[in-house]
Amino acid sequence: MRWFYNLKISTKLIAGFLIVAVIAGVVGIVGLMNITRINEADTLLYQNNTQGINYSANAARFYQRLKYNIAESIILKDDSKIESYVSNLNSYITTIDEQIEKYKDCISNEEDRRLFTELETLWEKYRVHMLNIVQFIQKGQYENAQNELLGEADVIGDAVRDALVELVDFNQKNAEERMESNTQLASTAVSLMIILILVGIILAICLGF
């Protein structure tokens, strides 16, 4: 610091102000960078995990409604409700299609893609059986609908249910891990800001003396 002592007072003041200004600028830039990183991490948490849970859970919910309404229509055999049943069943199938399609934008990694591809493949097979059952119900052919439901569709249906549950569980676990990572990121950012501020304060005091 000998070189600093040998400077004129005016030069010392200017140099001190410039150094403090640079430190303040560094603190500001680091703060902005950390805020941006945290914001990006929170965006990923919402877009990939929260939305992923939403879409997969919705698909699972309407899948259960689909199976329940099919079973109800086959058991009751109420021809007066055929139009209502057919309308509801087609609506549930369409909604599941939409939720699965929306999920594509939430895929975050290869494991997520693998689980989704497995679900998509199973659902396409199961969907064919569901459409056949809807046609049988629409014609009042309840026995054929029952045979279709209890045949290959029964096994595939269980696989679809398990795949949906697995996808929901995956997103929940991933969301928890990302939340912990975001918390750690925020904690690190706060610690770094505190260190930089303390260094700036100490340096400013030293220059002042």
Side-chain angles (χ1 to χ4, degrees):
M1 295 291 289
R2 176 62 58 183
W3 64 271
F4 191 79
Y5 294 137
N6 294 333
L7 295 175
K8 295 180 180 179
I9 292 178
S10 60
T11 305
K12 290 178 180 178
L13 287 172
I14 293 172
F17 283 133
L18 288 176
I19 292 172
V20 171
V22 169
I23 293 172
V26 171
V27 171
I29 291 172
V30 171
L32 288 173
M33 290 175 61
N34 284 325
I35 290 173
T36 301
R37 289 175 62 194
I38 293 171
N39 181 59
E40 290 174 350
D42 283 340
T43 299
L44 288 175
L45 176 62
Y46 174 75
Q47 290 180 344
N48 292 346
N49 301 124
T50 305
Q51 288 292 75
I53 293 172
N54 181 43
Y55 296 140
S56 55
N58 281 341
R61 185 170 71 252
F62 281 98
Y63 166 79
Q64 294 298 335
R65 289 187 182 183
L66 176 65
K67 291 200 69 173
Y68 175 82
N69 277 262
I70 285 176
E72 183 181 17
S73 63
I74 292 174
I75 292 172
L76 296 181
K77 298 180 174 62
D78 189 346
D79 291 341
S80 65
K81 293 184 178 181
I82 285 180
E83 186 175 345
S84 174
Y85 281 129
V86 169
S87 176
N88 287 337
L89 294 174
N90 283 326
S91 174
Y92 296 152
I93 292 172
T94 299
T95 301
I96 295 171
D97 286 339
E98 292 172 350
Q99 297 303 306
I100 291 177
E101 182 65 26
K102 288 179 179 179
Y103 189 92
K104 289 181 179 179
D105 295 331
C106 301
I107 296 175
S108 58
N109 53 46
E110 288 304 315
E111 177 64 12
D112 196 7
R113 187 175 300 280
R114 183 189 68 79
L115 293 174
F116 173 79
T117 301
E118 182 179 341
L119 168 64
E120 190 177 36
T121 301
L122 289 168
W123 169 246
E124 285 301 319
K125 294 179 181 179
Y126 192 66
R127 187 176 184 276
V128 173
H129 289 291
M130 294 301 100
L131 292 176
N132 289 339
I133 290 173
V134 171
Q135 290 180 358
F136 287 138
I137 293 174
Q138 192 169 17
K139 297 174 182 177
Q141 299 175 358
Y142 301 108
E143 186 176 347
N144 290 339
Q146 181 175 341
N147 291 335
E148 184 85 19
L149 180 65
L150 298 178
E152 183 185 14
D154 187 41
V155 177
I156 299 176
D158 288 344
V160 170
R161 178 201 61 210
D162 293 341
L164 284 168
V165 170
E166 192 171 4
L167 206 56
V168 172
D169 290 343
F170 170 82
N171 279 279
Q172 287 178 336
K173 180 181 178 182
N174 219 20
E176 291 174 0
E177 292 174 352
R178 182 159 285 165
M179 182 181 66
E180 291 175 0
S181 175
N182 292 356
T183 300
Q184 182 61 42
L185 178 63
S187 178
T188 302
V190 169
S191 298
L192 181 59
M193 291 291 292
I194 291 173
I195 291 172
L196 288 174
I197 291 171
L198 289 176
V199 169
I201 292 173
I202 293 171
L203 185 56
I205 292 174
C206 290
L207 291 173
F209 279 116

